[in-house]
Amino acid sequence: MKLTWQCMFSPRLYKIYKDGPRDSLYQPEGIEKWSDKVITMANTILNIGLYTSPFICFYIYKRGFFSLDETRTIIRYVGGLSCLIALSYILRGIGRASNPKYVDFLKALTSPVTDQKVYLDALRKYDFDFQAWPATYTLPPKKSSTWLEKHPFSSCANGDLPLYKRMTVQVLAYIATHTFALRLIYPGSLGLVHNLLRSALFQGRTQLVEVFDGQRTKLKTADGNEIDTMFVDNRAQSPKGKILVICCEGNSGFYEIGIMTTPVKAGYSALGWNHPGFAGSTGLPYPEQEHNAIDAVMRYAINELGFEPQQIVMYGWSIGGYVATWAAVNYPEVKALVLDATFDDLLPLAQNQMPSSWSLLVKEVVRSHVDLNIKELIAQYGGPVQLVRRTEDEIICLRQGQLASNRGNFLLTRLVEARHPELPASALESLQKHVALLDSQRAAMERTELDDNAKAPLKLISKYMRDYRSSHCTPLPEDHFDAILTNLTAKY
């Protein structure tokens, strides 16, 4: 009876790793299978009902279902469905308790933790609801600012507006950010996107575990979020494995199907993680929550995985370049910072995608709530940097097909300005002009007879940035990534 009770409310098991073909799933049998379907359907209907509850209540009111007789009928229906769901939970518990494979999983999950390594090794044989995964690395909570200390109207990006307009824009920006704007910036935080990619995420996670011996871990951040991470340890397989590459994904990227396999295939150790609100990670990707998440990842890498900061490379793709750069600034001893297809500032991209009549609102949303200003962060970092510019990038170019409008150009310009304040204005103008050229075009110019003042900007561009001929979402080949790290070591 005790085992059946545990099985009634225990997490759903998806897969037992290395138990059959890679694409095989754990298969519930008999009453477990059918009762699980009833519970899943009931949860789906409940979620839909919660989102549509205002319309349901309005319909009930209009149809006059609040009369005594109609209320009794509704209660009978609800009571009958509740009994069916309760019976389904009982039958599911009996079915799971009768399945030896599920019982072994439950024992691994609920066994006392006398040795954390042994406990995690046993648990990592299974893929199950991440919500039930124990947090094995937790940061102490930190005191958060009170609402009065940091309320959403404490600053305004449109301070030159009259008071009544300024207040209106601030209120609209607050509402927009907390309803749809953040999810437009980070579509991966939408449950719909997660559901559409569920199969691909499962397959990617299975590959990381079964092929590369990946180790999944839940981290708990200082603000209470739970972050889903995957670590591939190549220290015993390759000399390059002593370097850990921490991978920061894009706005619809997940470690399961993102950039993590690039450094792994190149022989490096890699640590991937999902943004707050993405897949198994809780929270939402507001900048402060992003900071706390990457801080937990960094501390886990240093304190638990045993990597020194000098052995860590921050690798950010697209919007992931923001947290990668933030981590490099706050952990300045890291070995290098690699930014692939990354922009300088979110605001120009956001304004380019939205109607011009919304410009004030967009500015307020970005500057007051989601200010991903990478160029100001990168100016504070003094270590090795390499920018990878996609020559056919359709996302961070303001004008399709025009390399001069690629926002990575502006990120490079800001980096050079911060690191080489001795450059004269003429050299900076030359740099801004030549950065719009392809690598091959600049190389041809360097072979011509140019004076030192003209050649200096070309050399700085080549030092900090390289081109990769592809679109925004094409995976970076492992040999290309390996060449980047090799060149970074040689340049610095």
Side-chain angles (χ1 to χ4, degrees):
M1 288 296 295
K2 181 180 179 182
L3 178 61
T4 300
W5 178 261
Q6 285 181 310
C7 290
M8 284 170 58
F9 304 103
S10 52
R12 182 171 297 157
L13 177 61
Y14 300 123
K15 183 176 178 62
I16 303 172
Y17 289 119
K18 299 182 181 179
D19 181 31
R22 192 183 303 171
D23 57 351
S24 65
L25 302 174
Y26 165 76
Q27 296 295 337
E29 299 175 354
I31 57 175
E32 179 188 0
K33 176 181 178 180
W34 294 106
S35 58
D36 205 37
K37 285 186 175 181
V38 172
I39 294 171
T40 300
M41 187 181 299
N43 284 332
T44 302
I45 294 173
L46 178 62
N47 287 329
I48 294 174
L50 288 174
Y51 283 112
T52 59
S53 56
F55 303 101
I56 294 174
C57 292
F58 181 73
Y59 176 77
I60 290 175
Y61 174 76
K62 292 292 288 184
R63 293 295 300 269
F65 285 173
F66 284 125
S67 64
L68 183 60
D69 291 338
E70 295 294 347
T71 302
R72 287 174 179 169
T73 302
I74 292 174
I75 291 174
R76 283 197 293 269
Y77 279 124
V78 172
L81 289 172
S82 300
C83 291
L84 176 62
I85 294 171
L87 179 62
S88 298
Y89 272 100
I90 294 171
L91 293 176
R92 186 175 73 173
I94 295 172
R96 287 177 172 177
S98 305
N99 191 324
K101 291 185 177 180
Y102 191 90
V103 172
D104 289 343
F105 156 67
L106 190 60
K107 287 180 179 178
L109 179 63
T110 57
S111 61
V113 185
T114 54
D115 186 323
Q116 189 176 68
K117 184 180 184 304
V118 173
Y119 174 72
L120 288 176
D121 287 344
L123 205 57
R124 286 173 176 147
K125 296 177 182 177
Y126 304 96
D127 191 332
F128 57 98
D129 283 335
F130 192 70
Q131 185 178 2
W133 194 283
T136 51
Y137 185 77
T138 302
L139 289 185
K142 66 179 182 181
K143 183 180 179 182
S144 57
S145 303
T146 64
W147 192 87
L148 289 176
E149 291 173 337
K150 194 179 179 181
H151 61 81
F153 311 115
S154 58
S155 62
C156 180
N158 298 286
D160 55 338
L161 293 176
L163 179 61
Y164 72 96
K165 286 187 178 180
R166 186 167 69 242
M167 290 297 296
T168 302
V169 171
Q170 285 181 299
V171 170
L172 290 175
Y174 181 82
I175 295 171
T177 304
H178 291 80
T179 51
F180 64 89
L182 186 69
R183 289 163 177 81
L184 287 178
I185 297 169
Y186 286 93
S189 63
L190 288 168
L192 176 63
V193 173
H194 181 212
N195 289 333
L196 290 173
L197 296 175
R198 186 181 298 275
S199 177
L201 296 179
F202 172 78
Q203 292 172 8
R205 192 162 56 245
T206 300
Q207 181 189 33
L208 288 169
V209 172
E210 293 192 344
V211 177
F212 302 112
D213 198 24
Q215 301 173 17
R216 198 179 189 188
T217 303
K218 177 188 282 188
L219 313 181
K220 195 162 186 179
T221 66
D223 55 355
N225 283 333
E226 297 172 345
I227 303 300
D228 186 1
T229 70
M230 182 70 73
F231 170 55
V232 174
D233 191 354
N234 278 335
R235 282 176 284 194
Q237 283 72 33
S238 166
K240 294 183 288 188
K242 295 179 181 179
I243 296 175
L244 175 67
V245 180
I246 296 182
C247 304
C248 304
E249 302 289 346
N251 64 355
S252 292
F254 304 82
Y255 72 71
E256 294 93 335
I257 54 175
I259 62 176
M260 185 176 175
T261 54
T262 294
V264 169
K265 290 178 180 178
Y268 299 94
S269 296
L271 177 58
W273 60 285
N274 283 331
H275 295 280
F278 282 49
S281 298
T282 63
L284 283 170
Y286 290 102
E288 187 172 357
Q289 293 188 39
E290 288 272 275
H291 298 165
N292 288 324
I294 190 61
D295 186 50
V297 170
M298 293 294 294
R299 294 198 194 186
Y300 170 67
I302 296 168
N303 299 329
E304 289 292 312
L305 300 181
F307 289 92
E308 296 295 329
Q310 298 86 348
Q311 297 174 299
I312 296 175
V313 172
M314 300 306 305
Y315 178 28
W317 173 66
S318 191
I319 208 170
Y322 173 74
V323 279
T325 309
W326 186 92
V329 170
N330 287 272
Y331 292 84
E333 295 180 352
V334 295
K335 185 177 183 67
L337 172 65
V338 179
L339 301 180
D340 181 10
T342 300
F343 52 86
D344 63 324
D345 185 3
L346 178 62
L347 182 58
L349 291 172
Q351 289 180 329
N352 189 58
Q353 295 296 323
M354 303 301 290
S356 58
S357 58
W358 289 33
S359 60
L360 291 178
L361 178 61
V362 171
K363 183 179 179 182
E364 192 66 43
V365 167
V366 172
R367 288 289 182 251
S368 295
H369 302 283
V370 199
D371 193 13
L372 309 185
N373 201 330
I374 302 174
K375 69 177 187 290
E376 295 308 320
L377 279 176
I378 205 169
Q380 303 173 41
Y381 175 62
V385 175
Q386 181 75 101
L387 309 180
V388 180
R389 182 178 64 175
R390 307 297 184 101
T391 59
E392 299 168 13
D393 201 313
E394 73 283 12
I395 302 297
I396 67 168
C397 285
L398 298 184
R399 292 177 292 279
Q400 191 76 19
Q402 296 188 23
L403 192 58
S405 69
N406 188 299
R407 296 305 303 187
N409 300 341
F410 300 87
L411 183 59
L412 173 80
T413 302
R414 183 68 184 97
L415 175 64
V416 172
E417 288 176 347
R419 296 201 172 188
H420 302 276
E422 75 283 356
L423 285 177
S426 59
L428 288 176
E429 290 177 6
S430 177
L431 183 141
Q432 292 168 359
K433 175 183 176 182
H434 293 143
V435 73
L437 301 177
L438 294 170
D439 274 350
S440 57
Q441 293 172 318
R442 289 195 300 270
M445 289 185 65
E446 288 185 20
R447 290 192 293 268
T448 62
E449 293 185 2
L450 295 174
D451 58 38
D452 291 340
N453 288 334
K455 282 188 176 181
L458 297 177
K459 291 180 179 179
L460 289 174
I461 295 171
S462 299
K463 178 179 179 180
Y464 295 116
M465 188 173 73
R466 64 165 56 203
D467 285 342
Y468 176 55
R469 188 175 180 180
S470 76
S471 59
H472 187 75
C473 295
T474 304
L476 192 67
E478 53 267 25
D479 58 343
H480 204 87
F481 181 82
D482 191 31
I484 289 172
L485 291 194
T486 302
N487 290 340
L488 272 177
T489 304
K491 289 176 182 177
Y492 290 85

